[in-house]
Each structure stands twice: as structure tokens, then as C-alpha cells.
Amino acid sequence: MQIVRAKGIAWCASRNNIALLLSQAGPSVSIEPISYWGASLPEKQQKEILKQNPKLHDEWDEEFGDRNTKLVFIGINLNVELITKELDACLLTVDEFNDEWSKLIDPFRWQLSSQ
């Protein structure tokens, strides 16, 4: 199995308000902040975003808004079950999900200015 390229947007609990851009090509991998999730913005701005992008209503979750993860993997002889298992291992446990997310270890070193 060889992943040649992976890319997409990720939601990370330790950076709950920030959409992360994942980009991997060969041995080069990066994950960096790309924007704030619309749902993390004040209600007035959320309404404006939804007005400007009506298709967001179709994917808007009542509790989490536009936060989501959408990744694409391109490769040779990909083992979908193994990739799924490894991605599932990245998910919060039930206890972590129900606990305060600010207690989670933040693996990212970059600092962001406040919104």
C-alpha cells in the first residue's frame, strides 16, 4: 500500500474553532490553519456566511455547524480498511468527547491571532 497524495479539510478538537488544511504529496506533509469555522463566529457573521453560501445549509449541523472532516487519499493498492482503522483511532473517545476539549493536548505549535 502506498499513499501518493492526501488532502482535505480537518476538524481537530484541540483547535475547535479552526479549519485545518491537510496536504501530503510523497514524503512532504503539512497541516496548517486555513480559516475559522463559520460556526465559531458570532451569530451575525454566521447568518451572513449562510446567506452568501446557501449550500452550507445542506451540511450545517445543529450542534457543530460547518465543522467537519473531508479527506481524499490517492495511492496504489490502498487498504481502505487499514486507513479507516487508523483514522478512527484519531477520533475522540466517548469520555474525551464528553469532557472539556480545552484539556486536550494540542499537537500544533503555531499561534493564531484572536478572531
Side-chain angles (χ1 to χ4, degrees), residues 11-14 64 85-101 103-105:
W11 172 25
C12 182
S14 66
F64 302 111
K85 180 180 176 183
E86 290 180 356
L87 289 171
D88 284 348
C90 299
L91 297 173
L92 296 176
T93 65
V94 172
D95 288 340
E96 289 170 330
F97 184 86
N98 292 324
D99 201 2
E100 179 59 43
W101 292 1
K103 295 179 185 178
L104 296 169
I105 295 171

Side-chain angles (χ1 to χ4, degrees), residues 38-50 60 115:
S40 72
L41 301 173
E43 188 175 342
K44 183 178 178 180
Q45 287 179 280
Q46 288 181 31
K47 288 180 180 180
E48 186 61 34
I49 289 170
L50 288 166
W60 195 269
Q115 59 184 49

Side-chain angles (χ1 to χ4, degrees), residues 15 17-18 33 35-36 40-41 109-115:
R15 294 288 180 130
N17 294 333
I18 305 295
S35 71
Y36 287 98
S40 72
L41 301 173
R109 295 182 181 170
W110 24 261
Q111 295 294 320
L112 301 172
S113 60
S114 61
Q115 59 184 49

Side-chain angles (χ1 to χ4, degrees), residues 4 15-16 26 31-32 34-35 37 44 47 50-51 53 58 75 79 89 102 110 113:
V4 177
R15 294 288 180 130
N16 187 41
I31 188 162
E32 58 191 15
I34 190 168
S35 71
W37 292 112
K44 183 178 178 180
K47 288 180 180 180
L50 288 166
K51 183 180 175 183
N53 304 293
D58 297 340
N79 183 332
S102 64
W110 24 261
S113 60

